[in-house]
Amino acid sequence: MDTAALLGGPGPLVAVDNTPGAESVYRAGPLHVGASIVVGNERRGIRPDVLRGAAKTVQIPMPGRSVNTLNVATAAAVALYYLLDANGRRQARAPRPESHRPAVLLAAPRDHVEAGSSLRSAAAFGWQTVTVDDREKVWFGTPRPVRNEARAAARSHRNPLRVVPAGDAWSPPHGSRVVVCAPDVDGPALHRTELTGTGTVLVIPDGDGWEPPSDAEFARVAVPGEPGRYRLLTGIVLAEAARQLGTRTSTALRPPRRGLSYGSMLGQTALPDTDLVQPWELTQY
């Protein structure tokens, strides 16, 4: 579609791009009737002429320190979730969000690229560790071509996320609170569910083949749950958990570090029973 056609629609154009001065999508409010939404290329963003013609520009806050963009389909899903107005949102926990960050379990993802894109989203929204129930063998011990595609989707060349296998019989830590986030479950809407807190584990299953604990809570996510949609589901769940955590105020004004640091060198050290995303494991397409 050319620029004139894009800007000449029946309603205002809303651009989704992490540009200076863009409003947080969490506060942007509902779309006007007839509005259109445009999401830019994840590397180059939206063309300047389209940005200038947009009635509003919104951004998805990215608290992650190394990965600061989402897959474009995930970004569109997250933006639409909030721009279509998720009424009754829970208040954020700021100013100490990290003390309430929940653990995340990706439960039985069925596609390696969907799993990789979901791990990319986790890093972008500020998680440092994610557990994967890899019963479908899409992340650990895969053939090299599959492994390379999965790591490319995860942006492994810059993603320091620690990926931990759940093992054959995962069970939640003693005393933890498990919240299963999925479409078509009997529970309150995702944005009306408390997703944060010490001891909370967010479980995001891919389909209905994963059996939740008997005492699990459920949060309903308004997104199609068919195969191939897993990255959209995980993106929305992680975005809402990050929104509820609030903004990290203590480090927001720190200047970025330059060069190697002790912490970044630790990120290159292998840990037992974990998978650290490493630059030398990746074939970038």
Side-chain angles (χ1 to χ4, degrees):
M1 180 179 291
D2 60 36
T3 304
L6 185 63
L7 299 178
L13 179 69
V14 177
V16 180
D17 203 350
N18 288 10
T19 58
E23 183 180 5
S24 169
V25 73
Y26 302 145
R27 299 191 298 268
L31 289 172
H32 293 284
V33 175
S36 300
I37 179 174
V38 59
V39 182
N41 180 281
E42 56 197 78
R43 291 186 178 181
R44 296 185 296 274
I46 297 173
R47 290 196 335 238
D49 57 338
V50 175
L51 274 177
R52 288 192 298 269
K56 178 188 293 188
T57 302
V58 301
Q59 64 173 319
I60 302 170
M62 296 280 100
R65 296 178 179 177
S66 299
V67 179
N68 59 7
T69 62
L70 301 174
N71 165 270
V72 67
T74 304
V78 170
L80 287 170
Y81 183 81
Y82 292 102
L83 291 173
L84 293 176
D85 196 27
N87 291 314
R89 300 176 191 170
R90 300 187 68 89
Q91 294 297 313
R93 281 185 174 270
R96 296 186 60 194
E98 290 309 309
S99 62
H100 302 285
R101 185 176 290 274
V104 170
L105 171 69
L106 303 185
R110 291 177 283 184
D111 180 85
H112 60 290
V113 174
E114 296 290 317
S117 186
S118 299
L119 293 169
R120 171 185 175 178
S121 296
F125 285 117
W127 271 264
Q128 298 181 17
T129 302
V130 169
T131 302
V132 177
D133 178 340
D134 194 25
R135 65 184 65 188
E136 301 295 334
K137 305 300 181 185
V138 301
W139 187 261
F140 296 103
T142 58
R144 189 172 185 82
V146 173
R147 179 182 176 88
N148 286 342
E149 287 184 352
R151 271 57 177 179
R155 289 295 185 265
S156 297
H157 59 300
R158 57 185 299 183
N159 188 343
L161 189 73
R162 180 187 177 200
V163 183
V164 182
D168 295 332
W170 180 86
S171 60
H174 179 71
S176 62
R177 169 178 171 258
V178 176
V179 183
V180 179
C181 307
D184 303 321
V185 296
D186 186 13
L190 180 75
H191 57 275
R192 296 181 180 176
T193 305
E194 177 59 69
L195 302 178
T196 66
T198 304
T200 298
V201 181
L202 302 182
V203 178
I204 312 175
D206 190 2
D208 55 6
W210 188 84
E211 188 68 28
S214 59
D215 59 349
E217 302 174 30
F218 295 90
R220 190 179 68 257
V221 189
V223 66
E226 295 86 357
R229 308 281 185 171
Y230 191 59
R231 72 180 73 182
L232 311 186
L233 172 64
T234 55
I236 290 172
V237 172
L238 294 169
E240 176 57 18
R243 186 198 67 80
Q244 291 186 20
L245 284 170
T247 303
R248 186 168 45 219
T249 58
S250 60
T251 60
L253 300 179
R254 289 182 184 176
R257 293 180 178 178
R258 296 185 178 182
L260 292 176
S261 67
Y262 178 72
S264 64
M265 289 303 295
L266 283 180
Q268 304 297 325
T269 305
L271 299 175
D273 298 325
T274 67
D275 179 54
L276 285 177
V277 177
Q278 302 288 8
W280 54 83
E281 296 177 343
L282 174 70
T283 298
Q284 179 64 51
Y285 297 100

